[in-house]
Amino acid sequence: MKVILDQLTAGVVFTGDIAKDVVTFLMSHGCPRTAMHSAAVATEAQRIAAAVGIAPHTAAQAGWLHDVSAVIPMEERVAAAEALAIPVLAEERALPMILHQKLAATLARDLFGVTNAEVLNAIGCHTTLKAGASTLDKVLFVADKLAWDQPGEPPYRMALEAALAQSLDAAVCVYLRYLWERRTTLAVVHP
């Protein structure tokens, strides 16, 4: 486990400023688009958190850290997860991209020193969400979908924003419904 972490941090100096450290870390690994996406997710998470009455700073921290595992190549994610003692589901073996959420939570804890369990839990389910999701889990999930990392606008953006004006749960349901309607085209359906 330590070997992987040492390799990822070689030449990176952490300052304790999460935003600055995430950008430095991602840039040092050639991930400038992920750094920009993380900044956008942090901003969205802060905005949504303030609207639903949870600490914006905590939500922003989760937003900054949610994709730090982008530095691990797709073809190495299963092996990295196993080396870091992260349980891997069959669906994650079939589509290692979704393992990035669990890997990011581990890196947030072990490299960036995050000890807040709520932040780590939110990072760990920001792509798929989970049953019994906390408010912070939902905030990060929705923020990630609004600050989409693909070209153009997300096709569900207007519906998601309208639902968010009603409630956080309504916004979550918009995106889950969007995925469910496309379930036959998805590589996997995460449990």
Side-chain angles (χ1 to χ4, degrees), residues 101-118:
Q101 60 188 3
K102 290 179 177 178
L103 287 163
T106 297
L107 296 183
R109 182 191 68 220
D110 295 347
L111 298 183
F112 293 86
V114 175
T115 58
N116 183 326
E118 288 184 345

Side-chain angles (χ1 to χ4, degrees), residues 154-180:
Y156 49 78
R157 183 176 187 88
M158 288 178 55
L160 194 67
E161 288 281 10
L164 188 55
Q166 296 172 21
S167 74
L168 183 58
D169 285 340
V172 165
C173 286
V174 164
Y175 186 75
L176 292 177
R177 190 171 20 260
Y178 171 83
L179 281 184
W180 187 248

Side-chain angles (χ1 to χ4, degrees), residues 9 24 33 41 56 60 76 97 164 171:
T9 57
T24 299
R33 289 184 64 212
V41 172
E76 297 175 21
M97 185 283 293
L164 188 55

Side-chain angles (χ1 to χ4, degrees), residues 8-184:
L8 291 174
T9 57
V12 178
V13 177
F14 292 100
T15 66
D17 177 331
I18 292 290
K20 182 178 178 181
D21 290 347
V22 166
V23 171
T24 299
F25 179 73
L26 290 170
M27 297 298 279
S28 75
H29 286 281
C31 299
R33 289 184 64 212
T34 305
M36 290 180 4
H37 169 65
S38 297
V41 172
T43 298
E44 281 291 342
Q46 219 169 357
R47 175 182 73 93
I48 297 166
V52 299
I54 65 170
H57 172 76
T58 302
Q61 183 181 57
W64 275 111
L65 291 160
H66 83 287
D67 273 353
V68 292
S69 65
V71 302
I72 301 171
M74 200 73 64
E75 64 277 4
E76 297 175 21
R77 289 185 181 170
V78 172
E82 290 170 342
L84 294 167
I86 298 170
V88 179
L89 300 172
E91 292 82 1
E92 295 163 335
R93 282 185 196 286
L95 184 64
M97 185 283 293
I98 56 179
L99 256 178
H100 83 281
Q101 60 188 3
K102 290 179 177 178
L103 287 163
T106 297
L107 296 183
R109 182 191 68 220
D110 295 347
L111 298 183
F112 293 86
V114 175
T115 58
N116 183 326
E118 288 184 345
V119 170
L120 296 172
N121 287 334
I123 294 168
C125 71
H126 77 269
T127 300
T128 59
L129 209 50
K130 63 183 178 185
S134 72
T135 301
L136 182 58
D137 296 342
K138 295 172 192 176
V139 164
L140 185 59
F141 179 77
V142 170
D144 185 45
K145 305 320 174 236
L146 287 172
W148 134 294
D149 59 359
Q150 304 299 313
E153 287 290 312
Y156 49 78
R157 183 176 187 88
M158 288 178 55
L160 194 67
E161 288 281 10
L164 188 55
Q166 296 172 21
S167 74
L168 183 58
D169 285 340
V172 165
C173 286
V174 164
Y175 186 75
L176 292 177
R177 190 171 20 260
Y178 171 83
L179 281 184
W180 187 248
E181 289 168 355
R182 288 151 186 77
R183 68 189 173 277
T184 60

